[in-house]
C-alpha cells in the first residue's frame, strides 16, 4: 500500500480513518511503513495516526527518550488530538509510549508494546555503526527478524544510507544510549492503563525474559508470544499481530471509554 504522508509545520505523519484513535510509534531504525499491515487492517474502523519521529535530524542535545516524548506531545497538540488514545509502540517506540503514559496518564486509554525497550535491549547502540560496511549492516538488520527474508534489500539499503551519515549516526548513538540509561523498572507500577504485550519468541534484541519482566511490572498487562518471530511482530507476523490487537481492543473497549 502507498502511505499518504501529511505535513503540518515541521511534522510529517500518517492520519487515516475515523473513530477511536490508535497512535503508532516506530523504533530507532523504524519507519512509517513498519505499520503498513496495521494501517490496512484498522483504518477502516479506527483513526490511525503515526508521526514520523525526527530520529535522524532532531537537535543533538535533544536526541534522547525525553526529547522524543516532548516531540510526540507537541505533535498531538499541533494536530489538536487531545482525547485519550490507544498508544502502540515497537522497540524504542514502546519506550516513548511508556514515558508518554507516565507523563500523561489521562491521555492514554490503552497501551500495546511489542519488543519495547525501557528495561533492557541488546540494540545496535554499542558496536554500531560501522560505516561503509554493507555486509555488517545487512547482518544487523537480519538479526532483527526470525526470518532474514523480512530484511529486504530496500530495508538494508535504508539503514546503510543512515550509517553513512555522521550526523545521523551521532543522533542514533545518543538516542540508543539515552534508552539504555532511561530504565523504567521503578516507575511501571504507576501505569494503570490496560496493556497488551506482544513479543516474538525469537526476539534477540529484547528477549522473552524482558517481556516477562514487563508483564510482572505492569499491573494491568496481558502477555502474548508469537513463535518464529523476532523483534518486530507487526512486520514479521502481521496477521497474528492484528488478530491479537483486535481481540485486545474489543475486550478492553468498555475499560478504555
Amino acid at each position: 500500500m502507498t502511505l499518504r504522508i501529511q505535513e503540518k509545520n515541521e511534522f510529517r505523519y500518517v492520519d487515516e480513518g475515523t473513530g477511536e484513535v490508535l497512535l503508532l510509534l516506530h523504533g530507532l531504525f523504524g519507519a512509517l511503513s513498519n505499520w503498513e499491515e496495521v494501517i490496512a487492517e484498522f483504518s477502516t474502523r479506527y483513526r490511525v495516526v503515526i508521526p514520523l519521529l525526527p530520529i535522524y535530524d532532531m537537535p543533538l542535545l535533544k536526541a534522547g527518550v525525553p526529547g522524543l516524548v516532548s516531540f510526540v506531545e507537541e505533535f498531538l497538540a499541533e494536530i489538536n488530538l487531545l482525547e485519550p488514545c490507544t498508544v502502540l509502540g515497537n522497540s524504542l517506540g514502546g519506550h516513548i509510549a511508556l514515558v508518554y503514559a507516565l507523563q500523561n496518564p489521562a491521555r492514554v486509554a490503552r497501551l500495546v508494546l511489542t519488543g519495547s525497550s525501557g528495561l533492557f535491549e541488546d540494540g545496535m547502540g554499542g558496536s554500531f555503526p560501522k560505516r561503509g560496511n554493507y555486509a555488517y549492516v545487512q547482518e544487523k538488520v537480519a538479526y532483527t527478524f526470525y526470518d532474514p527474508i523480512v530484511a529486504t534489500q530496500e530495508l538494508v539499503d535504508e539503514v546503510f544510507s543512515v550509517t553513512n551519515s555522521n550526523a545521523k549516526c551521532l543522533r542514533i548513538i545518543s538516542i540508543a544510549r539515552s534508552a539504555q540509561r532511561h530504565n523504567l523498572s521503578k516507575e511501571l507500577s504507576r501505569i494503570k492503563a490496560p496493556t497488551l504485550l506482544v513479543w516474538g519468541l525469537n526476539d534477540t534484541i529484547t528477549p522473552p525474559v524482558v517481556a516477562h519482566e514487563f508483564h510482572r511490572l505492569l499491573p494491568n498487562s496481558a502477555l502474548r508470544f508469537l513463535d518464529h518471530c523476532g523483534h518486530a511482530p507487526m512486520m514479521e507476523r502481521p496477521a497474528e499481530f492484528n488478530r491479537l490487537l483486535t481481540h485486545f481492543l474489543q475486550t478492553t473497549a468498555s475499560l478504555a471509554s
Side-chain angles (χ1 to χ4, degrees):
M1 74 183 288
T2 308
L3 294 179
R4 219 163 43 90
I5 304 208
Q6 302 190 37
E7 296 193 23
K8 193 171 183 193
N9 292 334
E10 77 270 33
F11 300 104
R12 300 180 73 225
Y13 59 99
V14 168
D15 191 345
E16 294 286 349
T18 56
E20 191 187 339
V21 177
L22 305 183
L23 174 67
L24 279 46
L25 302 174
H26 63 76
L28 187 57
F29 285 89
L32 302 175
S33 60
N34 294 16
W35 298 104
E36 271 181 4
E37 302 285 347
V38 174
I39 302 164
E41 172 77 24
F42 290 92
S43 60
T44 55
R45 313 189 295 283
Y46 293 86
R47 180 182 173 193
V48 180
V49 177
I50 322 174
L52 184 61
L53 300 174
I55 283 166
Y56 306 131
D57 48 19
M58 66 194 302
L60 193 53
L61 288 173
K62 290 185 177 176
V65 173
L68 287 163
V69 173
S70 296
F71 174 87
V72 170
E73 291 170 343
E74 288 160 18
F75 163 69
L76 294 173
E78 181 67 41
I79 66 165
N80 202 30
L81 180 50
L82 305 172
E83 73 260 33
C85 50
T86 298
V87 187
L88 291 79
N90 171 235
S91 195
L92 173 73
H95 202 153
I96 297 164
L98 286 163
V99 178
Y100 177 77
L102 285 162
Q103 292 180 6
N104 305 275
R107 305 271 295 276
V108 177
R110 289 173 286 216
L111 278 172
V112 180
L113 305 174
T114 180
S116 178
S117 60
L119 291 178
F120 163 86
E121 84 285 346
D122 178 19
M124 290 182 165
S127 60
F128 188 80
K130 285 189 184 174
R131 290 188 67 197
N133 186 333
Y134 190 87
Y136 177 83
V137 171
Q138 196 167 23
E139 185 188 320
K140 279 290 194 180
V141 174
Y143 182 69
T144 306
F145 305 103
Y146 171 75
D147 183 352
I149 266 178
V150 184
T152 59
Q153 187 177 344
E154 188 186 359
L155 200 59
V156 176
D157 288 350
E158 209 174 290
V159 176
F160 183 68
S161 74
V162 168
T163 65
N164 275 325
S165 158
N166 264 343
K168 290 178 180 178
C169 281
L170 281 173
R171 282 156 180 78
I172 289 162
I173 291 165
S174 175
I175 292 167
R177 287 181 179 157
S178 165
Q180 285 163 347
R181 283 196 309 270
H182 208 98
N183 187 290
L184 298 174
S185 55
K186 293 185 169 61
E187 299 174 72
L188 293 179
S189 62
R190 289 176 23 222
I191 296 177
K192 303 297 189 258
T195 302
L196 173 65
L197 304 163
V198 181
W199 237 260
L201 265 176
N202 312 92
D203 186 341
T204 49
I205 293 170
T206 47
V209 64
V210 178
H212 284 295
E213 188 65 0
F214 270 119
H215 184 36
R216 186 179 74 79
L217 293 169
L218 286 160
N220 199 2
S221 62
L223 173 57
R224 301 288 178 265
F225 283 108
L226 293 175
D227 201 1
H228 302 123
C229 182
H231 189 56
M234 74 288 178
M235 293 173 74
E236 195 160 17
R237 298 291 298 277
E240 292 88 343
F241 181 86
N242 286 348
R243 184 176 50 76
L244 290 170
L245 179 54
T246 298
H247 181 259
F248 173 68
L249 292 172
Q250 287 171 348
T251 53
T252 55
S254 60
L255 298 171
S257 56

